[in-house]
Amino acid sequence: MANSKRKLPTKPSATEDPTPQKDTPRSSEESRTDVNHKSAKKSFPPLNQFFRDCLGHDLSNFTSLAHFTSWLHRPVDGAALGIFRLLYGAAMLIDIAEERGGGQLDVRFQEPLHCHFPLFNGMRAMAYPLMGCVYLCMWLGAWGIMLGYRFRTSCLAFLIPYWYIFLLDKPTWNNHSYLFGLVGTLLLFTQAESYCSLDSWLNPRKSRCIPYWNYFLIKFQFFVLYMYAGLKKFSLEWLSGYAMSNLSHHWVFAPFRQVIDPELIDLLIVHWFTAFFDVSIAFFMTLEKTRLLVTPFMLSFHLMNSRLFVIGMFPWVCLAEVPLFFSSDWPRRLGNWSKIRLVHPKDPEEELSKPGILARLRTGLILAYCGLQLFLPYSHFITKGYNNWTNGLYGYSWDMMVHSYDTLQTSIQVVDNESRQVHNLNPYAFTEYDRWTKYADMAVQYARCIEENIREKQPDIGKNISIYFDIWCSMNGRFQQRSFDPREDLLRAKWSPFESTSWSLPLLNELNHMRPKLRTIETEVLAWNNYSDVIFVADFPGLTLTNFISPDLINCTLTILEGNVRYRNERDPEAYFLTAGKSIGLESNITHLVTTIGQKPASYLFTYTNKTMLEQGITIEQPEIEERSVLPLWQEFQHRVTNYEQFLGHIGNCLMYLLYDVPIPQAVKGGD
């Protein structure tokens, strides 16, 4: 008895596959889930095979919330996301000095009378030295993101100043600035510091794996970017070829000019191909069968954009995102840093553990975010006050390059209601932006900012004033027309974000049929000589165009295309009624008044010859003769270095003022 030992039951090792006890019943929910999981494979074998071959995933992953949650939370290598984090942080370090305005920090924030256009009227810019600290915090945060050091803290240090600066000035909005903020916010919740980071070096992780939803969110955001950019281009406005003109003359299209006319390049490649590319490229990059085939098109597209447009870091961030569509462990295999590749089961969905409450809640939040991103670009029926010629504020709808503007004239009149004196104000006296000329909400904000500045500088004038804007601009090759009613006092104008703005004049789409004719007329006028030009104008009934013709212009003519107008000038009180097809010569160095009469808008054109250019022999083509480098990479690098030196100098000035009370040099605003 003393030598006999009782044998204890052994615990199965982690490598063994223990048989479940027969007396341990499974829950009805788990049994039902497994039945649905397997029945989805058996019910639709061709469709499931298609999903597996093209997407690399089983259709059953999307048949229930539980399966989808398990699919989102399955472990994958975090290496590819770590490389993207590093490249994104590096791009943001450059972006801060450029599109975030760090190089022009003093111009934007040092002048106390500078007008800002915040999304929320209660927001205010801090004092210039404090704004320097805001930019310093954002800059340090970008460094932390790139290096992967104290990643969550670095993300917050970058994102809070970023969104503050973004929301402070709506005129600076664009789609890629919005994208940068969204991507940074998504990275905050991921484990992007798990690879190629100081955090992973200082505190090595036991596992290389991160949940797949870390990748899913970033890829979904870029998927929406491409798909919606394409959907917004599948409109008559874009496909007609009026949005982008003369791009075919750029050197990147030189190979195409050997076989296609420039006009066809603008239409077929710039407009039609781009629309198809945007709407389809994300799908092709998602499909394993087509991914390698379309990757060269993806890379070429963004490299061409970096040469065609001044859009900052946008092409480079998109290029940094391309590898996310490939295997998550490609950096390890590419550098041969790990000879052992992560081994996944043949059918991982069957071996994933059932998702818990937190995982399901996380999936719900992910789906809510995805739904919000799908809804926002088409939510303009709610925010009607931001709609004018286009729907909503530019910058969050992914309608990139769809609209191009040409502003002909901007005038601001300040009327003293007590003395009835009229003062003409420089439109850009308190801002360097011009997007307020096209959006009613920013026009009201600018008018109120002007009033505050006048009251501060000239209290005797600013007690009881009215402010009127008269702005003429053209969109996508249309007539020059007014964007706001010039009779509306913007200090007393009614505006609400949820109601249509009555004094914001609509786009005259009823004259769209004349755009081909305008091109023909313009070609004929420009063919007269090197000094002739034409301006196309459309106006609303009851409004008067006051046009002073400079003495530098000769052979001026007014021709009516459609509608009826009443014409007179300041020297001749007699009025002339002109109908469609009628013309009249105009004298130089006097003011002419053209009033639209009747019930319909009138359209007309002015032709003229520049006498000064004619006498001096100046040709319009002369600026294009100047030699420029085809690929000015060195010049761009030097410009970026200079801009960064200015940015760091501004930060240093702010810190020296706050720490040692050293005076800050006064910014010198460029001439008008």
Side-chain angles (χ1 to χ4, degrees):
M1 293 293 294
N3 295 330
S4 64
K5 295 183 180 179
R6 173 180 267 177
K7 189 174 182 179
L8 298 176
T10 59
K11 184 178 180 181
S13 65
T15 58
E16 295 177 351
D17 187 12
T19 304
Q21 300 294 327
K22 294 182 180 180
D23 58 348
T24 307
R26 303 178 67 189
S27 67
S28 59
E29 181 181 358
E30 291 178 345
S31 301
R32 195 183 311 115
T33 300
D34 281 352
V35 170
N36 294 337
H37 185 78
K38 296 177 181 178
S39 64
K41 293 183 178 181
K42 296 180 179 179
S43 301
F44 309 100
L47 187 58
N48 185 69
Q49 188 63 34
F50 171 79
F51 264 73
R52 179 176 284 278
D53 292 342
C54 294
L55 299 178
H57 307 291
D58 284 331
L59 176 62
S60 57
N61 294 324
F62 312 99
T63 56
S64 69
L65 180 62
H67 291 152
F68 184 66
T69 301
S70 297
W71 180 74
L72 283 180
H73 288 77
R74 73 185 194 276
V76 294
D77 198 320
L81 188 62
I83 295 297
F84 173 75
R85 183 216 75 243
L86 184 149
L87 296 175
Y88 170 81
M92 293 304 98
L93 281 173
I94 301 174
D95 177 81
I96 290 172
E98 295 181 358
E99 290 202 320
R100 290 324 110 215
Q104 294 76 40
L105 193 61
D106 53 346
V107 175
R108 292 184 61 182
F109 299 106
Q110 190 173 7
E111 173 55 55
L113 299 182
H114 189 281
C115 292
H116 297 277
F117 303 83
L119 179 62
F120 307 105
N121 287 326
M123 291 184 65
R124 291 289 185 270
M126 301 179 188
Y128 174 55
L130 296 179
M131 289 303 300
C133 294
V134 169
Y135 273 80
L136 176 61
C137 179
M138 182 167 57
W139 184 67
L140 293 175
W143 271 108
I145 292 175
M146 185 185 74
L147 299 176
Y149 180 67
R150 298 187 179 274
F151 182 63
R152 299 287 186 275
T153 303
S154 296
C155 283
L156 290 173
F158 172 77
L159 289 170
I160 294 175
Y162 186 95
W163 284 112
Y164 168 67
I165 295 169
F166 181 83
L167 297 176
L168 188 62
D169 269 317
K170 290 177 288 186
T172 64
W173 286 17
N174 50 46
N175 288 282
H176 57 269
S177 295
Y178 175 58
L179 174 70
F180 296 165
L182 291 178
V183 170
T185 303
L186 295 177
L187 285 176
L188 171 66
F189 298 98
T190 67
Q191 300 174 29
E193 80 284 6
S194 64
Y195 179 79
C196 196
S197 67
L198 290 179
D199 284 348
S200 63
W201 181 65
L202 296 173
N203 300 292
R205 294 167 53 94
K206 295 182 179 180
S207 173
R208 304 174 182 175
C209 296
I210 63 174
Y212 176 70
W213 62 262
N214 287 218
Y215 284 92
F216 175 81
L217 278 173
I218 304 295
K219 291 199 288 187
F220 174 82
Q221 191 62 69
F222 281 91
F223 192 97
V224 170
L225 161 71
Y226 290 112
M227 184 181 68
Y228 274 24
L231 291 176
K232 295 298 180 76
K233 289 181 174 65
F234 271 93
S235 63
L236 185 62
E237 188 71 13
W238 177 269
L239 297 178
S240 298
Y242 290 104
M244 307 295 294
S245 59
N246 299 323
L247 282 182
S248 58
H249 297 287
H250 196 279
W251 67 265
V252 300
F253 293 107
F256 299 99
R257 290 198 297 269
Q258 306 303 317
V259 293
I260 308 177
D261 291 337
E263 292 184 357
L264 285 178
I265 293 176
D266 285 328
L267 179 64
L268 299 181
I269 298 179
V270 174
H271 289 87
W272 289 14
F273 173 78
T274 301
F276 174 77
F277 176 90
D278 280 343
V279 80
S280 63
I281 190 62
F283 291 97
F284 288 139
M285 289 295 295
T286 302
L287 299 177
E288 291 185 350
K289 297 287 187 180
T290 58
R291 187 175 298 147
L292 286 176
L293 180 65
V294 300
T295 297
F297 292 94
M298 181 77 127
L299 301 179
S300 301
F301 178 78
H302 289 297
L303 289 174
M304 290 175 65
N305 281 343
S306 71
R307 299 296 93 203
L308 287 169
F309 310 108
V310 182
I311 47 179
M313 290 292 103
F314 177 56
W316 310 108
V317 171
C318 289
L319 288 174
E321 169 266 345
V322 170
L324 291 181
F325 287 99
F326 291 85
S327 173
S328 60
D329 64 344
W330 68 263
R332 301 187 195 274
R333 292 185 288 132
L334 183 65
N336 198 24
W337 296 328
S338 176
K339 297 182 179 180
I340 303 176
R341 187 179 176 185
L342 287 178
V343 179
H344 296 291
K346 184 178 180 180
D347 196 0
E349 291 84 2
E350 293 185 355
E351 300 189 11
L352 290 175
S353 60
K354 297 301 180 291
I357 296 177
L358 290 179
R360 292 172 185 261
L361 177 61
R362 189 182 295 112
T363 300
L365 293 175
I366 291 173
L367 292 176
Y369 175 82
C370 294
L372 179 64
Q373 286 300 310
L374 293 173
F375 171 73
L376 274 179
Y378 292 99
S379 63
H380 309 303
F381 64 93
I382 299 176
T383 55
K384 297 178 181 179
Y386 295 107
N387 299 340
N388 189 16
W389 295 357
T390 60
N391 287 328
L393 289 170
Y394 181 73
Y396 68 94
S397 300
W398 313 119
D399 49 350
M400 295 176 288
M401 305 295 181
V402 177
H403 308 109
S404 59
Y405 295 91
D406 176 27
T407 303
L408 176 67
Q409 175 181 312
T410 302
S411 65
I412 297 178
Q413 286 189 339
V414 180
V415 179
D416 188 337
N417 294 320
E418 296 180 358
S419 64
R420 305 309 302 173
Q421 290 184 338
V422 178
H423 306 272
N424 291 308
L425 180 69
N426 177 3
Y428 303 100
F430 304 113
T431 183
E432 69 274 17
Y433 306 123
D434 68 345
R435 199 173 290 179
W436 57 269
T437 61
K438 306 166 186 67
Y439 293 91
D441 60 305
M442 285 185 266
V444 171
Q445 287 179 314
Y446 194 38
R448 292 173 180 172
C449 181
I450 291 173
E451 180 189 28
E452 292 177 4
N453 291 340
I454 291 177
R455 284 181 176 177
E456 183 173 341
K457 295 182 67 175
Q458 297 177 319
D460 54 328
I461 298 179
K463 293 180 181 179
N464 183 15
I465 62 174
S466 296
I467 297 179
Y468 303 91
F469 289 177
D470 192 12
I471 301 166
W472 292 81
C473 55
S474 168
M475 188 181 81
N476 291 353
R478 290 178 172 85
F479 288 91
Q480 292 282 342
Q481 66 161 90
R482 288 182 166 99
S483 53
F484 308 128
D485 190 335
R487 302 165 295 188
E488 187 74 21
D489 180 6
L490 294 187
L491 294 180
R492 296 163 181 82
K494 181 182 178 182
W495 182 85
S496 168
F498 306 110
E499 297 178 4
S500 299
T501 307
S502 60
W503 47 270
S504 179
L505 299 178
L507 192 63
L508 293 172
N509 287 317
E510 58 266 37
L511 301 177
N512 285 356
H513 67 281
M514 298 188 67
R515 279 195 285 187
K517 183 178 180 180
L518 301 188
R519 284 186 171 182
T520 302
I521 295 175
E522 182 179 21
T523 302
E524 293 177 355
V525 173
L526 295 179
W528 292 351
N529 53 61
N530 291 328
Y531 319 103
S532 58
D533 206 347
V534 59
I535 297 175
F536 300 99
V537 178
D539 206 2
F540 293 86
L543 297 182
T544 299
L545 168 63
T546 303
N547 183 24
F548 173 78
I549 296 182
S550 169
D552 294 331
L553 306 180
I554 59 175
N555 300 331
C556 303
T557 303
L558 168 66
T559 302
I560 311 303
L561 296 176
E562 285 188 1
N564 305 309
V565 304
R566 180 175 64 247
Y567 163 79
R568 67 182 181 88
N569 61 58
E570 61 182 359
R571 294 180 183 174
D572 187 0
E574 183 179 357
Y576 300 87
F577 292 91
L578 304 176
T579 58
K582 300 296 182 180
S583 299
I584 188 172
L586 307 178
E587 297 182 43
S588 301
N589 202 27
I590 63 172
T591 300
H592 304 266
L593 296 93
V594 183
T595 303
T596 300
I597 58 178
Q599 301 299 318
K600 297 181 179 180
S603 59
Y604 44 91
L605 61 89
F606 294 95
T607 58
Y608 59 90
T609 300
N610 192 308
K611 181 179 66 173
T612 303
M613 295 177 63
L614 178 64
E615 294 175 348
Q616 298 181 2
I618 303 174
T619 60
I620 299 176
E621 292 79 10
Q622 186 173 355
E624 299 181 2
I625 298 177
E626 181 182 358
E627 295 184 0
R628 290 193 310 169
S629 174
V630 174
L631 198 62
L633 298 180
W634 176 245
Q635 292 89 332
E636 292 179 7
F637 175 76
Q638 289 179 312
H639 173 72
R640 284 200 161 114
V641 170
T642 302
N643 200 39
Y644 224 89
E645 290 175 349
Q646 294 175 352
F647 165 62
L648 296 178
H650 298 324
I651 298 298
N653 290 335
C654 293
L655 292 178
M656 293 297 290
Y657 175 81
L658 292 173
L659 296 175
Y660 304 107
D661 203 23
V662 177
I664 299 177
Q666 186 68 29
V668 179
K669 189 175 181 180
D672 297 327

